[in-house]
Amino acid sequence: MGGNRTQILIVEDEKHMREILKMLLEGEGYSVFTAEDGGRGRDLLEKEIFDLVITDIKMPDLDGYGILKKALQVSPETPVIMITAFGTVENAIEAMKLGAYDYIHKPFKIDEIRLIIKKALEKKDLARQVTLLKERAITGLEHIVTANPSMREILKNLSRIAQSRANVLITGESGTGKDLVANAIHNLSDRKDQNFVAINCATLPEGLLESELFGYMRGAFTGAAQNKQGLFEIADKGTLFLDEMAEMPFQLQSKLLRVIETGSFRRLGGTTDLTVEVRIVSATNKDLKEAVSNGLFREDLFYRLNAIPVHVPPLRERREDIPLLIDHFLKRRDSRKRFSKKATELLINYPWKGNIRELENVVDRMLLFSDAEIIRDSEIPQEITAGLLPKPGPAAEIGQGIELEPYLEDIEKSYLIKALDRTGGKKIEAARLLGLSFRSFRHRLAKYGIK
Ligand SMILES: Nc1ncnc2c1ncn2[C@@H]1O[C@H](COP(=O)(O)OP(=O)(O)OP(=O)(O)O)[C@@H](O)[C@H]1O
Ligand SMILES: [Mg+2]
């Protein structure tokens, strides 16, 4: 997306129709571009990135098929919805075979088109999630910083582990680098030119997780508008990374076990067995063995996944890595700043429950709030020195009493502005600096009317 608003392109030669759609969609908060003929639609497709394209089929110069073809070529993940005149459904079906997402008839019902658009955009988000994860898969060993003997041992074994076809289960506390290890295993293997597909079992509801993994056939359930490949197919001959394995619903565990045992499965609503050869790397920060003894996780599946166990130790058990990691993060931010010896010592002694991710956030935040070349121990946040929860700056003197709400809001506001300043207005980065989700960051900006 160009900005952070969802962008939709409407290609429609009938003025009236074009304007109704534009009004409707702008009313829903989307940013809408319009083209009154195919040629202009094609030009826009080349210039902008759209989240959704809606195109009439019948147009004088370049018709809807031409727009569809162009869209598939410049941005294959952008869903395209075709508009057809009543009584020409065949055209629409033809377009769907060519890769259109769905179609609507003229005249249409407002609610119908709203729903189709909403679904199309949701689908696009899922698709994007998967490619992002694929694009991210460029880590080799060189990105894993460590001087710790047991970590070194793991890294040394990783190349050999990568060469084997056996499934790997990576365990370790949150933020210890399990994702990095999973990436490295793929990139060190002879599967590296095939897909690395990652999915987080904790973030999708059960039904969606199932349809993402196994795919579906058109009509398998409401909303299954076309056939769709599952991640197992996409990961064929490559690696499937199942993150947060402990969250895999029990019923899906059985299905997963079956695929591992037989190497084949069916898409939801499908009638033919598909055969795949996939290496499964899974990760968890929970104790899966305990989940097994509590009856929450299938024992047979556990053994299948855990053919090769890799345990990533927490940061507090490899404190020698802390100064190296600090350096690494400073370099990655292109920062000339350094931490004083005393400041580094404080960081070395902190328990780091959030492990490397937490360290990374603290370093980033200190870069943000310190103007000195050398960051001194006095600047280390109190939460670190006290080993306590985050506190926003020095507490005000209570004296005769203070108004806590506006006081906290002032602090919050100043941090939001500082973060935006420091990142040159890049909201995603600013949110990260403050340890906030993008949503919550955006919400706070709106609350204080910060532009
Ligand atoms: N040894 C390392 N060297 C450099 N960077 C690291 C190292 N380990 C972790 N990181 C960085 O720390 C952050 C957290 O790592 P990662 O996402 O791999 O952790 P995780 O164990 O998968 O966490 P979670 O359990 O929350 O999924 C990432 O930004 C990663 O790049
Ligand atoms: Mg992870």
Side-chain angles (χ1 to χ4, degrees), residues 42-180:
R42 182 182 48 206
D43 293 348
L44 278 169
L45 276 171
E46 265 163 2
K47 277 200 286 244
E48 289 281 334
I49 298 176
F50 294 100
D51 298 282
L52 176 67
V53 174
I54 302 174
T55 179
D56 192 9
I57 291 193
K58 229 174 106 231
M59 287 180 297
D61 59 344
L62 180 72
D63 65 10
Y65 297 111
I67 293 291
L68 173 63
K69 215 171 121 198
K70 187 79 206 171
L72 289 173
Q73 182 197 338
V74 295
S75 168
E77 267 158 25
T78 301
V80 179
I81 296 175
M82 315 297 285
I83 309 174
T84 68
F86 187 71
T88 54
V89 184
E90 294 81 0
N91 292 344
I93 291 175
E94 180 62 24
M96 302 231 350
K97 280 197 201 134
L98 295 172
Y101 171 76
D102 211 335
Y103 60 88
I104 41 178
H105 297 302
K106 288 195 264 204
F108 55 77
K109 292 206 191 72
I110 303 261
D111 281 341
E112 178 194 21
I113 190 161
R114 265 208 197 108
L115 186 70
I116 290 179
I117 288 169
K118 197 167 147 262
K119 278 207 188 120
L121 289 170
E122 276 169 13
K123 173 208 125 102
K124 158 129 197 209
D125 277 342
L126 273 182
R128 186 188 302 144
Q129 218 175 336
V130 172
T131 19
L132 280 184
L133 291 165
K134 269 201 288 183
E135 283 163 5
R136 203 184 54 182
I138 42 162
T139 326
L141 291 182
E142 68 279 9
H143 293 94
I144 306 183
V145 174
T146 184
N148 173 266
S150 56
M151 276 298 284
R152 290 242 152 241
E153 189 64 24
I154 292 174
L155 297 191
K156 210 176 82 201
N157 289 334
L158 229 46
S159 314
R160 205 167 338 135
I161 290 172
Q163 290 316 312
S164 130
R165 277 186 45 176
N167 294 337
V168 181
L169 177 65
I170 308 168
T171 55
E173 289 178 13
S174 165
T176 46
K178 297 186 294 297
D179 273 58
L180 280 187

Side-chain angles (χ1 to χ4, degrees), residues 147-254:
N148 173 266
S150 56
M151 276 298 284
R152 290 242 152 241
E153 189 64 24
I154 292 174
L155 297 191
K156 210 176 82 201
N157 289 334
L158 229 46
S159 314
R160 205 167 338 135
I161 290 172
Q163 290 316 312
S164 130
R165 277 186 45 176
N167 294 337
V168 181
L169 177 65
I170 308 168
T171 55
E173 289 178 13
S174 165
T176 46
K178 297 186 294 297
D179 273 58
L180 280 187
V181 170
N183 268 295
I185 291 176
H186 176 75
N187 291 312
L188 291 167
S189 75
D190 47 19
R191 294 167 185 260
K192 67 172 182 300
D193 297 322
Q194 307 292 331
N195 286 333
F196 173 85
V197 184
I199 189 162
N200 188 321
C201 304
T203 50
L204 297 178
E206 176 163 357
L208 218 49
L209 182 58
E210 180 174 20
S211 62
E212 279 297 299
L213 283 173
F214 302 107
Y216 51 81
M217 301 304 282
R218 182 181 162 92
F221 47 86
T222 9
Q226 88 263 69
N227 299 339
K228 181 162 183 244
Q229 276 200 328
L231 297 184
F232 265 104
E233 288 166 75
I234 297 173
D236 192 19
K237 312 221 163 46
T239 309
L240 179 59
F241 176 40
L242 300 172
D243 204 357
E244 308 234 26
M245 191 60 198
E247 309 307 320
M248 164 100 29
F250 202 79
Q251 177 247 328
L252 270 185
Q253 291 174 24
S254 312

